[in-house]
Amino acid sequence: MSKKLFFAASVLALSGLMAACGSDESTEETNGTATTNTKQNETTTSEETATEEDAEETTEETAEETDESAEEEPAEESTEAQEENPATSEGTPTVSESQAYEIHLLPGYELTAEEPNKDVVYSSENDELFMRVETFKPEEADFAFADDSIQQTLKASNEDAELTELPAFEDSKFTNSAVYEIPTDNGKVTGAVFEKEGLIVKLTIFDLTDAGVTEEFLNMGKTITSK
């Protein structure tokens, strides 16, 4: 009987020892898994923080670039405005001897007095290409009078042709403006009137088909300012 008790006791002791080992291994596996998860969480949190910081830096750089672009736009617009009229940058400021105005003359053009209150800007190479310039103070004539006058002048150049109205000047410096054109046998006559800085200007341009200098004359005419 004692042998059976001894054998049973041995079996119980061995079972307890195996259970204890199993418990230790389970604890170690659990602890190892918890440590791995903690490290993974720390890595993920670190990566998310770095990503958020990069996003903030990108946003700040984009905002700075936008601000710089906004600051550069006015300068670009100013440069474009000057380039629109080459007579402003390339022309020589010239004061009329018979009227109270200044005009920028492009290379190859000259200004002379034709008669009282009438000047002529003409091509140095061909005096058939010219622009008559007349100016009025507000007390001498208004824009409506100058507008009607230029239409009558052009119609007299070719009574058989039809007068065409062209787009007015877009520059805000011109209070009022109107442009007309009529064909002739060998070219065309263009008339422009505008009000600028308290001065009313009337321009009559005579151009030839094989010359095509109307735009140059208009560009010079637009630079006229009161003196």
Side-chain angles (χ1 to χ4, degrees):
M1 185 71 180
S2 61
K3 289 182 179 179
K4 292 181 179 180
L5 291 174
F6 176 77
F7 178 76
S10 298
V11 171
L12 290 173
L14 180 61
S15 298
L17 179 61
M18 292 176 65
C21 291
S23 176
D24 290 340
E25 289 176 357
S26 176
T27 302
E28 288 176 359
E29 289 177 359
T30 302
N31 291 340
T33 301
T35 302
T36 300
N37 290 339
T38 301
K39 290 182 179 180
Q40 289 178 346
N41 289 337
E42 290 176 353
T43 301
T44 302
T45 302
S46 177
E47 291 176 352
E48 291 177 350
T49 302
T51 301
E52 291 176 356
E53 290 176 353
D54 291 341
E56 291 177 357
E57 291 177 359
T58 302
T59 302
E60 291 175 356
E61 290 175 358
T62 302
E64 290 176 357
E65 291 175 357
T66 302
D67 292 339
E68 290 176 357
S69 299
E71 292 176 357
E72 292 174 358
E73 285 180 357
E76 292 177 356
E77 291 178 357
S78 177
T79 301
E80 290 176 357
Q82 292 180 357
E83 291 178 351
E84 287 178 359
N85 188 354
T88 302
S89 57
E90 301 174 16
T92 302
T94 306
V95 178
S96 169
E97 296 180 354
S98 63
Q99 301 181 69
Y101 72 86
E102 179 183 84
I103 184 172
H104 287 230
L105 296 179
L106 287 169
Y109 293 94
E110 298 181 35
L111 174 67
T112 185
E114 183 181 46
E115 56 183 86
N117 298 322
K118 289 184 181 181
D119 291 340
V120 169
V121 176
Y122 64 94
S123 168
S124 303
E125 297 180 356
N126 185 353
D127 59 9
E128 290 187 64
L129 305 171
F130 66 95
M131 173 174 69
R132 182 174 292 114
V133 181
E134 302 172 70
T135 62
F136 307 92
K137 295 180 181 179
E139 60 269 19
E140 296 173 337
D142 58 13
F143 178 79
F145 169 82
D147 188 11
D148 180 69
S149 176
I150 196 66
Q151 292 186 56
Q152 298 305 320
T153 299
L154 264 61
K155 289 178 181 179
S157 300
N158 188 352
E159 296 180 353
D160 298 327
E162 183 177 353
L163 184 69
T164 301
E165 184 173 2
L166 302 180
F169 299 156
E170 296 181 355
D171 197 318
S172 59
K173 293 180 181 179
F174 302 98
T175 306
N176 293 297
S177 65
V179 184
Y180 305 95
E181 182 179 278
I182 196 167
T184 60
D185 293 338
N186 57 354
K188 62 182 178 180
V189 180
T190 303
V193 291
F194 62 82
E195 185 175 0
K196 175 184 176 184
E197 299 176 359
L199 188 69
I200 295 175
V201 180
K202 175 183 173 183
L203 307 174
T204 311
I205 301 169
F206 297 84
D207 197 0
L208 300 176
T209 303
D210 58 356
V213 293
T214 299
E215 185 175 358
E216 293 184 1
F217 278 122
L218 283 174
N219 284 336
M220 289 187 283
K222 289 178 182 179
T223 68
I224 292 177
T225 54
S226 179
K227 291 294 292 183

